[in-house]
Amino acid sequence: MSDTYPIEAVNLCKRFGTFTALDDFNLQVRRNSFTGLLGPNGAGKSTCLKIFGHLHKSTSGHAYINGYDVEKEPKQALTGMGSVIETPEFYLYMTPRETFRFTGDILGMKKEAIDAETDEILEKVKMTEWADKRLGTFSKGMRQRISLGLALMNSPEVIILDEPTSGLDPRGMAETREILRNLRTDNNGLTVLMSSHMMYEVSDLCDRIAMVNHGKLLVHDDIYAVLGEADHRNITVKTKTEVDADMLASIESLTNVVSATKDADSIRIQLKGGMDEESLLFTQIGELGIGAYSMSEGVNALEDRYLELIKESR
Amino acid sequence: MAATSFSDDIRLAGVIMKNEFLKQRRGKRLLIFGIITAMILVFITAALAVVDNDIVESPRAFCRLFLGILTLFVIIGSTLFGATTVVSEFEERTALILFNRPIEKWSIYVGKFVAAFLIVSAYVVIYYVFVMIASMILAGGIADGMGMSLVCSLFYVFGTLGGAIMFSSLMKKSATASILTFFALFLLFDLVVSIVAVIAGFEDTWFMINSASSSIVDVLDPSIDVNVLRDILVMFVWGLVPAIIGFIRFRNKDF
C-alpha cells in the first residue's frame, strides 16, 4: 500500500477452472497518471479491472484502491473510485437524473450536493437536455456518456475504464474520447487506468502504458519510455507538395533517421530515439522546406512495440 | 468517505429497496399482479353473490373459501417479485453500475428481499381487507381468527420469498428462476410432502412449508387443533434458510 500508487495489484491471481486469467499479477499505478492497459483478448485486462471494480473475486492476492483492499474493505475502496466496466446497462425505467440520484444516495451524498453535481456532470458529458428522459430510449453512445458521468460522481480519485469506446460508432467514440481528454486536461489529481484495444486511443489519451499477456505484466512505464525501448519510432509527415526521391533522400540524411518511405500521400519516417530526437526531426523537417504541414507519431510505433512484446511473451 | 457502520449498511438497503419500489411501480408487474388479485376477488365474490349457496350464510365459510386460494396467490406474487430480483442484475447487466459502488452485497440482497416482501405483503393485506369487507356485506360478519390468519399469511409470504430469492441467486436467467420458483412452491413441495409421508411413514408432515401454510385457513376453525407457533416457525425457517443459501451464492458470484 502506498500514497504514491492509488491503484495497486499485489500477486493477484484469478483462475476460472483450469484457465489462469491472472497469474501473480503485480501493478502499481502512479497517482495523477492516465495509464493504458494493453493486451490481446484473454490477456487478463478485463479480469483485472473487474477485480478492482469488485465484480470478480480474486483466487489469491490483493487489489488495492487508495490503500484499501477491494475484497476485504470494499466500501472504503470503492468510495474513492468511479468505473465503467464493459458496456453497462442502466435501470431503463430511470432517467439520468434519477440514476445520478440513486448513485449519489449510495455514495452517501447529500441531496443538494447530488443535484448540483448532477447538473455539472451532465453538462460535462453533454447530456443536460436528456436529463429527464427515460434511459430506455438512449443510444449506446448516450448511455456510455452517462456511464462516464456516473463514474465522475463524488469526485473520485481513481477511475477505471474497461474499453470505454468499445462498440460505439465513430461519433460516439469521438465524444467519449473528448470527455476523457478533458478529464486528463482538468486532471484534479485523478488517476485513470483504462484498458483498450485501440492503439490510437491509448497513445492519444495515456501518458503511461501497462502491457499484459497471459495474466502477467510485461511492461509498465511512461509511453515514451516504452516506445524508446523499441528499435525505432514511426513518424508520419504530410506535405503539400508531391513526394519525390530527392525529398526522401534528404530526409534519410537527417540525424537519427533510419529510413524514409513514401506512404500514399505522406512520408513514413523510421526514427531512432525518443522525444528529443523527435523534436529535432520536427525542426529539421521544417528547415528542408518541403511544405510539411503535419507531423505525427504513427500509431504503428506503439502497435509495433505491442506486437513485439506480445510475441516475446509467448 | 462513507460511514462504514452497520447503520450505513441498513441505510443502503433502504436505498436499494426504494429503487425496487420504483422499478415495480414503473414496470408492468404491479399492474399484472393487481389485475390477478382483482380478478380472483371479483370473480369469487360475484359468483357467491349470484349463486344461491350456504357459504354466504356463514362468515367463517365465506372467509375460508377466499383464504383457501390465498397460497396460490402468494406463490404467484413471490414468483413475480422475488424470483427475478437478483438474477435480473446479472441478466440485464445493471450489476455493472451497482456492484462496483461502495455498498455491501448483503445490503443489496436485504434491500431486494424486503422490497419484494413488502410488495407481496401489501397485496395480501389488501386481499384480507377486501375479504373482510365482502364478508361483512354478504355474510353479515367476519370470521374469528382473521388477524392470526393474516399473520400466518405474512409468514407464508416470507417463506415463499426465501425460495424465490434463492432461485434468483442460483440461476442465470430470470425465466428459469421464475419457472423453478413457481413449480417448486406450487407442485414440488407438495410432491415431496407426499413422498416423504409415504416413505418415512409420517402421518403429519408439519415440517413442510405447504403443510404449515394450512394454518392460514385452519385458524378460522376452532374445531381444528392448530399449532400456530410451530407453523409460523416452520414457514420462517423455510424462508430464512433458502435466503441464506441464496445470499452465499450471490456474495460469491462473479459477474
Side-chain angles (χ1 to χ4, degrees):
Chain A
M1 286 191 283
S2 166
D3 281 349
T4 321
Y5 305 113
I7 304 173
E8 194 172 4
V10 180
N11 302 329
L12 209 54
C13 289
K14 177 67 181 177
R15 290 189 194 91
F16 297 98
T18 55
F19 175 72
T20 303
L22 283 178
D23 186 9
D24 219 15
F25 181 80
N26 289 283
L27 177 70
Q28 291 181 316
V29 178
R30 199 178 286 173
R31 188 173 295 283
N32 296 342
S33 68
F34 210 120
T35 303
L37 190 62
L38 293 171
N41 288 332
K45 305 184 300 292
S46 287
T47 304
C48 172
L49 297 184
K50 281 182 176 176
I51 290 173
F52 278 115
H54 202 222
L55 293 160
H56 272 344
K57 277 186 178 290
S58 64
T59 307
S60 63
H62 303 275
Y64 296 102
I65 298 287
N66 289 324
Y68 294 105
D69 190 317
V70 175
E71 283 174 27
K72 288 182 183 155
E73 304 157 291
K75 277 180 77 177
Q76 290 90 331
L78 298 171
T79 296
M81 188 187 89
S83 62
V84 180
I85 309 282
E86 293 181 355
T87 308
E89 280 300 338
F90 294 93
Y91 299 106
L92 300 180
Y93 49 88
M94 282 187 181
T95 65
R97 196 178 293 286
E98 286 167 340
T99 307
F100 277 78
R101 168 72 53 79
F102 175 62
T103 305
D105 282 343
I106 289 176
L107 291 166
M109 294 168 70
K110 296 224 175 332
K111 187 184 173 298
E112 298 74 30
I114 295 172
D115 291 344
E117 209 165 300
T118 300
D119 291 338
E120 189 188 322
I121 292 173
L122 286 174
E123 178 73 35
K124 201 178 268 185
V125 297
K126 296 174 184 163
M127 290 296 289
T128 304
E129 61 186 298
W130 297 87
D132 298 305
K133 305 264 195 306
R134 293 271 175 98
L135 281 152
T137 61
F138 285 19
S139 71
K140 202 170 178 180
M142 291 161 83
R143 288 185 199 176
Q144 195 69 339
R145 277 190 274 164
I146 296 292
S147 303
L148 283 168
L150 281 177
L152 298 174
M153 280 288 277
N154 210 21
S155 309
E157 293 165 55
V158 169
I159 292 186
I160 282 178
L161 306 166
D162 185 14
E163 298 185 31
T165 57
S166 169
L168 299 182
D169 61 20
R171 188 180 160 190
M173 282 186 190
E175 286 169 346
T176 304
R177 272 193 211 115
E178 192 191 338
I179 295 166
L180 297 176
R181 213 174 286 121
N182 290 339
L183 273 184
R184 187 181 162 177
T185 312
D186 297 347
N187 199 302
N188 300 326
L190 201 60
T191 305
V192 178
L193 177 62
M194 178 186 95
S195 78
S196 179
H197 278 299
M198 294 178 205
M199 300 298 155
Y200 166 75
E201 191 168 275
V202 171
S203 56
D204 181 31
L205 296 170
C206 302
D207 47 28
R208 289 177 67 80
I209 286 178
M211 286 192 193
V212 55
N213 198 19
H214 301 307
K216 282 187 181 291
L217 186 68
L218 303 179
V219 66
H220 177 209
D221 212 331
D222 287 340
I223 191 162
Y224 283 107
V226 173
L227 292 173
E229 284 172 25
D231 292 339
H232 60 264
R233 305 165 74 178
N234 291 321
I235 311 291
T236 302
V237 175
K238 290 193 172 179
T239 59
K240 287 189 287 185
T241 51
E242 181 78 17
V243 179
D244 57 30
D246 290 343
M247 201 185 281
L248 292 175
S250 55
I251 291 172
E252 272 189 339
S253 67
L254 297 174
T255 324
N256 301 312
V257 172
V258 178
S259 67
T261 48
K262 189 180 172 187
D263 184 11
D265 60 342
S266 58
I267 306 167
R268 190 176 172 190
I269 301 170
Q270 289 193 335
L271 180 76
K272 268 189 180 173
M275 265 192 294
D276 292 339
E277 287 74 15
E278 192 174 333
S279 173
L280 179 63
L281 179 71
F282 183 75
T283 311
Q284 289 177 330
I285 290 276
E287 286 168 358
L288 282 177
I290 56 173
Y293 66 89
S294 153
M295 185 172 125
S296 59
E297 179 153 11
V299 174
N300 291 341
L302 184 57
E303 197 169 86
D304 290 348
R305 184 68 185 132
Y306 167 81
L307 292 171
E308 200 178 300
L309 282 163
I310 297 301
K311 197 175 166 187
E312 282 169 14
S313 71
R314 272 182 191 156
Chain B
M1 190 73 62
T4 56
S5 62
F6 179 72
S7 63
D8 191 55
D9 291 340
I10 296 292
R11 179 190 69 79
L12 288 167
V15 172
I16 298 297
M17 192 177 76
K18 252 173 64 183
N19 182 39
E20 288 296 306
F21 288 147
L22 183 68
K23 184 204 287 189
Q24 302 304 349
R25 194 154 55 85
R26 292 194 178 161
K28 289 179 183 152
R29 286 183 193 163
L30 274 185
L31 183 68
I32 291 169
F33 198 49
I35 291 170
I36 291 171
T37 312
M39 278 172 62
I40 291 172
L41 294 171
V42 170
F43 180 76
I44 297 174
T45 311
L48 288 174
V50 172
V51 180
D52 198 19
N53 59 63
D54 296 338
I55 291 171
V56 289
E57 287 167 18
S58 158
R60 185 186 301 152
F62 186 90
C63 292
R64 277 179 67 95
L65 178 75
F66 278 92
L67 299 188
I69 55 164
L70 185 80
T71 51
L72 174 62
F73 172 79
V74 170
I75 288 169
I76 294 170
S78 294
T79 304
L80 278 174
F81 299 105
T84 59
T85 189
V86 173
V87 69
S88 66
E89 296 288 350
F90 294 88
E91 198 177 7
E92 291 163 18
R93 301 172 64 79
T94 46
L96 291 168
I97 61 160
L98 178 59
F99 296 177
N100 52 2
R101 291 293 173 189
I103 181 167
E104 296 286 351
K105 286 272 182 78
W106 77 260
S107 295
I108 298 172
Y109 196 78
V110 167
K112 285 175 173 287
F113 188 92
V114 173
F117 177 77
L118 291 178
I119 291 169
V120 182
S121 296
Y123 276 103
V124 168
V125 170
I126 291 168
Y127 191 99
Y128 270 81
V129 168
F130 180 91
V131 170
M132 287 192 284
I133 292 170
S135 179
M136 285 275 283
I137 295 167
L138 295 172
I142 301 168
D144 291 339
M146 282 293 276
M148 185 51 73
S149 171
L150 175 60
V151 171
C152 292
S153 295
L154 296 181
F155 274 95
Y156 185 64
V157 171
F158 183 85
T160 53
L161 273 175
I165 203 163
M166 179 186 74
F167 286 124
S168 192
S169 303
L170 296 177
M171 295 298 125
K172 287 184 177 172
K173 297 277 177 196
S174 295
T176 321
S178 299
I179 292 167
L180 273 173
T181 301
F182 185 79
F183 283 101
L185 294 169
F186 188 61
L187 286 175
L188 201 63
F189 290 162
D190 276 336
L191 199 67
V192 170
V193 171
S194 309
I195 293 168
V196 166
V198 170
I199 294 173
F202 284 116
E203 285 182 15
D204 183 6
T205 52
W206 57 268
F207 45 84
M208 297 300 294
I209 186 170
N210 287 359
S211 302
S213 71
S214 62
S215 60
I216 292 169
V217 177
D218 290 346
V219 289
L220 301 183
D221 193 342
S223 65
I224 300 173
D225 187 22
V226 187
N227 190 339
V228 178
L229 198 62
R230 185 193 66 190
D231 289 342
I232 283 176
L233 196 63
V234 167
M235 290 188 279
F236 179 73
V237 171
W238 270 94
L240 189 66
V241 173
I244 290 172
I245 293 168
F247 175 66
I248 292 167
R249 177 68 189 123
F250 172 62
R251 194 186 55 185
N252 297 319
K253 201 171 181 176
D254 280 347
F255 182 82

